[in-house]
Each structure stands twice: as C-alpha cells, then as structure tokens.
Amino acid sequence: NAGVMQNPRHLVRRRGQEARLRCSPMKGHSHVYWYRQLPEEGLKFMVYLQKENIIDESGMPKERFSAEFPKEGPSILRIQQVVRGDSAAYFCASSPTRDRGGYTFGSGTRLTVV
Amino acid sequence: AQKITQTQPGMFVQEKEAVTLDCTYDTSDQSYGLFWYKQPSSGEMIFLIYQGSYDEQNATEGRYSLNFQKARKSANLVISASQLGDSAMYFCAMRDLSNTGNQFYFGTGTSLTVIP
C-alpha cells in the first residue's frame, strides 16, 4: 500500500539543463497536484492534473515549466533550461477524486541548480 | 492578499508540556477546510489534522487538537504532552471546498523545537 512516490529524492542540475521530476500517485488516485517550496517558505500550488488532462495550471510559471499525467505511467514535472532560482523542493500530492478532504503528499524532490 | 498567516517563525516548548501554534486565515468562501501539516527535517509533509468550516466541534487527532474560532478566523494547533519527535516545521493550510477550489494555500510555517 505504497504512498505517493516521488523520484528522484535529490536532483542536481547545471544551469541550462533540463530537470524531470516524477510522481507516482497512490494506487487508485487519478488526481495529481504539484507544489513548490522555496527555502524558508510554505508550499505554493503549481498545477493540478487528472489523467491526460491539465485542470488548473494557474500556479505554473509561464515559461520553461510543463507538466503531464499520461494515461500510463507517472506524472512528470519538466523544467527546461533550469536557473538557480528553480532550486527548491517540489512536492507531488494525489487524491482519489476531487474531494473535499486533504490529500497525501510525497516526500518531495529537492532540486539544486549549480 | 495573504490567505494564511502564521506569525510565529519559531517556538520552543519543554518536553511533556502543551504548545499552541497560531494560524489565522482570510477567505470570503463559506465552505472551506483548514489543515495542519508537519514537516520534519527529512522533508516530507505529514498530514496531522483537518477542520471543516461547518464542523461544529473542534477536530482532535490523538495529541493534536485544532482550536477553531470561526468568527476570529483562527485555527490554532494545540499539541499536548510534547515529545522530542514533535520538533519540526508546522504548516497551516486552507482549501476552498467549492467546485472551483483546486489548491491549498499554505502559511510560511512555524519551527517548533521541543527541549528535553
């Protein structure tokens, strides 16, 4: 009964490279949310996806960031041409429906851009 | 406008004592949920407790209780009988429970240190 699985736990990228962060939701969960946590701050919403659909991307930066949740496989958060300011912890959460309760977070991916 | 305010960047509590972590929120929604999460140094986000805006009773989960004062828009977390393992960052969060609410709004967190 695995929880939300994120990998890698730690990712180091040089400026200009691409970062791919993966999130496998809990079994039976078809709703995925991505959040970003900058140092010394709370989590900030980025994007909400259901299988094959982006429902709400109001928190995504306009450039270089994209997210997908294909029919098969994990959800991917992709950051192209990373810059130092992208260094943060990226959390994924999932829920079985767009329900009223809380949802389960993964352990996060800590991205460091050098 | 900031939706969630946590005014205590750091708190200290003696082991076995109770501690209250403050949280105030701002919303015009009628239906919303309030949550507390714990983030230990290992970094994961652990759900602690939930309070719905229409719940009449304050939520409790073991040693955690939520002191919900709707008129004052506050949702303070009370941890009783503090343990060393309670040392962590604590985040208050709010979610709109209407059909349009997709995201949590998080506060900036309170760092709790339990002193032996």
Side-chain angles (χ1 to χ4, degrees):
Chain A
N1 193 16
V4 178
M5 304 300 291
Q6 288 188 251
N7 66 81
R9 284 296 305 271
H10 300 275
L11 181 62
V12 179
R13 284 288 177 265
R14 296 186 185 280
R15 279 179 296 170
Q17 289 185 321
E18 178 180 286
R20 280 183 177 245
L21 288 62
R22 293 175 185 75
C23 169
S24 296
M26 286 185 71
K27 190 175 181 181
H29 286 195
S30 58
H31 297 242
V32 164
Y33 311 79
W34 285 93
Y35 284 75
R36 176 165 64 175
Q37 184 181 29
L38 295 169
E40 312 298 323
E41 293 188 13
L43 277 68
K44 296 281 197 305
F45 170 78
M46 297 182 77
V47 63
Y48 160 43
L49 309 103
Q50 292 180 33
K51 285 281 187 182
E52 299 184 280
N53 286 305
I54 297 174
I55 306 302
D56 180 354
E57 55 182 349
S58 58
M60 286 279 270
K62 298 295 181 210
E63 297 177 348
R64 302 187 298 108
F65 285 71
S66 62
E68 62 177 10
F69 188 17
K71 189 176 180 181
E72 302 290 337
S75 175
I76 305 286
L77 180 68
R78 183 181 176 209
I79 312 171
Q80 295 178 290
Q81 299 175 321
V82 296
V83 300
R84 289 242 170 92
D86 297 333
S87 295
Y90 291 82
F91 288 90
C92 169
S94 74
S95 65
T97 62
R98 198 203 157 283
D99 64 19
R100 292 172 163 246
Y103 34 65
T104 305
F105 281 91
S107 296
T109 293
R110 272 133 195 93
L111 172 66
T112 303
V113 179
V114 297
Chain B
Q2 191 155 358
K3 292 240 180 191
I4 296 285
T5 302
Q6 293 181 255
T7 57
Q8 306 154 312
M11 290 283 286
F12 292 86
V13 64
Q14 203 74 37
E15 193 178 7
K16 298 180 186 172
E17 298 291 311
V19 64
T20 298
L21 307 183
D22 294 342
C23 172
T24 57
Y25 60 92
D26 180 27
T27 183
S28 56
D29 297 321
Q30 296 301 308
S31 179
Y32 52 89
L34 296 156
F35 304 78
W36 278 90
Y37 283 86
K38 172 184 179 182
Q39 187 176 44
S41 57
S42 51
E44 69 267 34
M45 294 290 287
I46 302 168
F47 167 73
L48 294 179
I49 196 167
Y50 163 78
Q51 177 87 43
S53 57
Y54 287 112
D55 294 339
E56 294 186 356
Q57 302 259 13
N58 284 346
T60 60
E61 289 286 347
R63 294 186 298 110
Y64 305 109
S65 60
L66 201 152
N67 184 2
F68 180 46
Q69 297 186 45
K70 194 170 181 177
R72 299 178 66 177
K73 293 190 175 178
S74 74
N76 299 339
L77 177 70
V78 180
I79 305 174
S80 62
S82 297
Q83 302 172 358
L84 295 179
D86 293 335
S87 293
M89 284 291 292
Y90 288 81
F91 291 96
C92 179
M94 180 177 67
R95 185 180 186 189
D96 169 15
L97 299 182
S98 71
N99 286 331
T100 59
N102 291 317
Q103 59 176 290
F104 278 84
Y105 295 93
F106 282 84
T108 51
T110 294
S111 175
L112 177 67
T113 302
V114 180
I115 304 166

